[in-house]
Every structure is written in structure tokens, then in C-alpha cells.
Amino acid sequence: MSPTVKNQPTRRSPAPAKEVPAKEAPAQIGNAQIEDNRVLPALSAAQRKRFAKAVLSWFDDFGRKNLPWQQDASPYRVWISEIMLQQTQVTTVIPYYQRFMQSFPTVAVLAKASQDDVLDHWTGLGYYARGRNLHNSAQVIVEQYGGELPTTVDELERLPGIGRSTAGAIVSLGVGNWAPILDGNVKRVLCRHYTVDGWYGQTAVQKQLWQLSEQLTPANRAGNFNQAMMDVGATVCTRSNPNCSACPVSKTCRALARGKPTDWPHRKPSKEKPKRQCWMLVAIDKSSGEVLLEKRPQTGIWGGLWSLPQYDSVGELGDAANLLDGNVVPLEKLGPIEHTFTHFHLTIHPLIARISRQSRDAIMDTEQLVWYKHGDTPGGFAAPVAKLLDKLMQSLV
DNA sequence: AAGCCGGGGGA
DNA sequence: TCCCCAGGCTT
């Protein structure tokens, strides 16, 4: 059947046909590799066999076999489905797939169609480069392969829009040969089963997962195995509520053994939060030690809470301080204080202005302003302000 | 290595 | 809201 080569090298030859080739051989030297001392998974033959057997047996009982592209599966049908399924869920894809195959039943028809016609079938599916690449690839396939999709991972990968995983899917599901895949479902299953640490977008993690996939994909029935892995990922080993009791490999799953399957895969590190700064006026009544507070507007950060008068620049703060009392300069520094919100970091620069009794009394008495004495509870405080006031009051005592 | 593409759905 | 989804390509 399949000319099965286990642990097939993942090397790629330079890609002449691909218009936008640019895939370099890794050729990463020294440092990056050495720094990464994650343990490479070396699975015993028994482990691999046990895993594949369980997954294949699960496929026979529960695997999906009625998806549109599984009927009369062919390299072409699998190709189209795989492209549509990139970053797109099955239920979304199905109607698009039906319409597409209706209009473009063969590579030749697709190649001859206009790009407008092809993209029209893609409207609403997103990632429109997929449609353009698909069309371009169809023309390459007609010109260079006589209208038949190539049947090796290496050749398929040279076509625009086809990466290693999609190529592996076409080979295993469409051609019937051995090839590993690594899509989001497989990644999640493997990350959990082997408690692979780190975010799987990282190169080192990807590499490790590919090695696992290569090792686990059995020589026979690779297509069924791959389909089953995707099905397990999509229907059993789900992101938030994995149904471990229904999983064919739960007995050997390390994440489950540790009691927390959802701790893997690790999340993508959150994007660096923007940094902002502000200046806060700490106006202290020299005679009483009271501090001027200002109520924040109802909307926005710290809405309705008591805070210190806040400014976007030190200049604005200085102006306000001088308005209170002409003799406040120089202002004493007191911070800075760091505070993190869900969406940004804030650095607060508090500056102390000591106000005379006379000036203090001249301040307008409004609902938004209050002179605060240690121990008072005018209302809610913004957390960093409360901390700052505590510290300040202690130092004054 | 990080950013980009995109619309939809779940938590 | 944020994150993720049968990824691949560009910078």
C-alpha cells in the first residue's frame, strides 16, 4: 500500500515552482538550538503502537465519516476542503465547499475560471489569499502536473497556500499514503497528552510537536489516524471542557494524570500592554495635613471613585498647583507608582504641593472636591491611590 | 520571531 | 471582551 517511510525527514528542497517560495531551510546555527534544552520526546515502539491502535479503534467507532469531502475522497476534494478549513470551522466550511465543488468540479475547471469567479465563491469565508492561492495553484497543477495533484508532501508544499500540514492531509486523506499532519486539533491533543510546555506558536514547540506527530502516525491507515486525531481534538479533547472519559488515549494522557487537562496547551503570551503615564497632585494643607481629593467622572477608569487630581503632563499639574497657591514650587516627588490595568500599564507620578491655610480655604467647594483627613471614608478609592494615601499619611504622622 | 489575514463562535 | 479555529505567507 503506502510506501511508508517512518520518521521521514522533514527537509525541503528549494522550491522552483512556487511563485512566492521563500521557505528557507532552517539552517539555524548554534545558539538558538542550544538554548532550548527542552527534552525531545523519544517514544518507544510500544508506546507508539499503543497510541495508534487506540486512536484507530476509536476512529472505527466514532470517527467522522460523513463529511462532504470524505465522500468519494480524492486529492482534489481533500485539497479544496483543507484550504477552506484553514482557521475555519467545519460547520462554516460545508456550504462553501458544496457550492465550490458544484462550480469547480475539477482542477482543470478551476484553473480556467476567472479569479473573480473563484473569489466570488469565497465571499464571507475570510482569508481571501486562500482563494487566490488556490486558483494560482490550480493553474500550476495544470501546467506542470497535467492537471493531477502531485502526491508527495514535498511537491505539494511548493504550491502556494499549501504548507506542511495541509500537504500531509492531502497525502494521507486524499492519496492514501503516509504523512503526518499538525493542525490546531492535533496540537492540542499532543500538548495535553505529553504535557508539552510553552505556547505552540513558538518554533521550538512546533518542532517538538511535529516530531511527536511523525512518531505517532502509524505506517498503516495514516489517513484514518489523522482524521481520528482531528476528530478527537474537535469533539473530545476540546479547548475548555474536554470529555476525557470518551478519549481513546486518556489512560496515557499526562495532563489528565496531573489532574488538569486544560492547563495545556499553554496560552499565547498576551500582547505587551501599552504604557501610559499620568501626574497626580498631592495638595497638602500645611496646617491640618489634609489632602485634596477629586472625584472621577462616572465613566472611564476608576469611574466614580475618589482619586487625586490627575493630569496628563507635569506642566498641567504645575499650572493647577500654582492656581491653588503661588508658593508651591518646587514640588516634591513621591513616586513613581506602577499600576497595571487589563489593557495598559500606568505609571503614576505623584507630586506634593504644600498649600497654605489661606489658599486652602479659597478653593471652590464643589461636589467633586474634598479635603481628606486620615481615617475619613468619603467613598471608594482607586487602589493605587489608597495605597499612596496610606503611605503618605504614615509619613506625615 | 512576529504580524497579518477575517469571519464566526465559545467562555 | 478575549481567545481560538483542519495555517500559510511576508516582513
Side-chain angles (χ1 to χ4, degrees):
Chain A
M1 305 228 353
S2 45
T4 52
V5 186
K6 281 191 204 168
N7 298 333
Q8 188 169 284
T10 63
R11 211 170 299 113
R12 299 167 192 132
S13 39
K18 211 155 183 166
E19 287 108 331
V20 270
K23 275 180 202 167
E24 300 280 321
Q28 207 34 301
I29 328 168
N31 299 347
Q33 307 252 337
I34 291 168
E35 275 181 33
D36 193 322
N37 10 333
R38 75 181 53 240
V39 182
L40 293 179
L43 305 179
S44 72
Q47 281 177 303
R48 288 185 275 159
K49 195 168 173 180
R50 173 179 186 172
F51 191 99
K53 193 175 171 182
V55 169
L56 284 169
S57 166
W58 183 91
F59 175 79
D60 293 334
D61 292 338
F62 308 110
R64 287 186 285 194
K65 303 170 189 82
N66 296 317
L67 296 169
W69 43 90
Q70 294 177 311
Q71 314 313 311
D72 301 313
S74 69
Y76 178 67
R77 292 173 65 81
V78 171
W79 173 41
I80 303 301
S81 72
E82 284 301 323
I83 300 300
M84 288 188 170
L85 286 162
Q86 287 170 7
Q87 300 296 291
T88 311
Q89 296 187 341
V90 170
T91 53
T92 305
V93 162
I94 289 176
Y96 284 89
Y97 178 82
Q98 309 275 36
R99 251 175 284 140
F100 196 95
M101 294 307 289
Q102 197 94 27
S103 300
F104 313 111
T106 67
V107 178
V109 173
L110 178 58
K112 250 184 288 179
S114 70
Q115 189 187 70
D116 281 338
D117 195 7
V118 175
L119 290 182
D120 182 44
H121 285 70
W122 218 270
T123 301
L125 202 49
Y127 285 111
Y128 298 94
R130 294 185 296 173
R132 294 194 299 272
N133 285 331
L134 199 60
H135 190 221
N136 292 338
S137 284
Q139 295 174 345
V140 173
I141 292 166
V142 166
E143 288 162 17
Q144 300 188 10
Y145 296 97
E148 295 287 323
L149 269 81
T151 57
T152 67
V153 168
D154 276 358
E155 289 171 302
L156 285 165
E157 263 195 282
R158 286 179 212 140
L159 297 169
I162 300 182
R164 190 180 173 190
S165 189
T166 299
I170 295 170
V171 168
S172 62
L173 301 172
V175 179
N177 284 352
W178 183 90
I181 62 167
L182 189 63
D183 69 357
N185 289 311
V186 177
K187 286 177 186 172
R188 187 170 51 257
V189 173
L190 294 179
C191 276
R192 284 190 180 148
H193 194 268
Y194 295 100
T195 56
V196 175
D197 291 325
W199 172 53
Y200 58 49
Q202 278 182 302
T203 310
V205 178
Q206 295 257 29
K207 192 175 160 189
Q208 188 177 6
L209 292 172
W210 270 113
Q211 289 182 355
L212 283 168
S213 182
E214 288 168 12
Q215 292 181 70
L216 292 169
T217 307
N220 294 317
R221 300 183 65 194
N224 287 355
F225 176 85
N226 287 342
Q227 183 63 53
M229 287 292 282
M230 292 190 283
D231 292 345
V232 167
T235 66
V236 175
C237 193
T238 51
R239 182 156 59 104
S240 13
N241 292 99
N243 184 6
C244 298
S245 61
C247 175
V249 290
S250 61
K251 283 193 283 298
T252 47
C253 178
R254 293 187 195 166
L256 179 59
R258 294 209 210 168
K260 357 173 143 172
T262 52
D263 278 9
W264 288 268
H266 292 178
R267 300 176 108 197
K268 175 181 178 174
S270 53
K271 205 168 43 175
E272 175 115 3
K273 293 169 179 157
K275 293 181 192 306
R276 296 191 204 169
Q277 312 208 20
C278 73
W279 282 260
M280 285 186 176
L281 173 62
V282 186
I284 302 176
D285 179 337
K286 273 189 281 196
S287 56
S288 67
E290 290 167 297
V291 175
L292 183 65
L293 297 185
E294 183 177 46
K295 192 170 201 168
R296 308 220 15 128
Q298 291 299 315
T299 57
I301 299 292
W302 298 326
L305 299 182
W306 287 98
S307 181
L308 295 160
Q310 180 180 329
Y311 308 90
D312 291 339
S313 70
V314 67
E316 290 170 52
L317 184 147
D319 291 347
N322 283 323
L323 218 59
L324 285 174
D325 188 320
N327 300 317
V328 294
V329 279
L331 299 161
E332 302 168 47
K333 282 191 186 172
L334 187 75
I337 295 171
E338 303 290 343
H339 188 71
T340 299
F341 294 92
T342 52
H343 51 303
F344 64 92
H345 295 290
L346 181 65
T347 304
I348 301 167
H349 305 276
L351 292 175
I352 297 175
R354 295 181 189 276
I355 310 292
S356 70
R357 182 81 200 181
Q358 195 180 7
S359 301
R360 172 240 158 99
D361 288 341
I363 289 179
M364 287 262 273
D365 189 14
T366 75
E367 294 286 309
Q368 313 308 321
L369 293 172
V370 69
W371 284 97
Y372 166 82
K373 196 179 299 182
H374 188 43
D376 284 357
T377 50
F381 280 114
V385 174
K387 209 189 303 179
L388 190 154
L389 285 177
D390 264 1
K391 222 159 85 178
L392 184 68
M393 291 306 175
Q394 278 173 20
S395 69
L396 284 180
V397 168

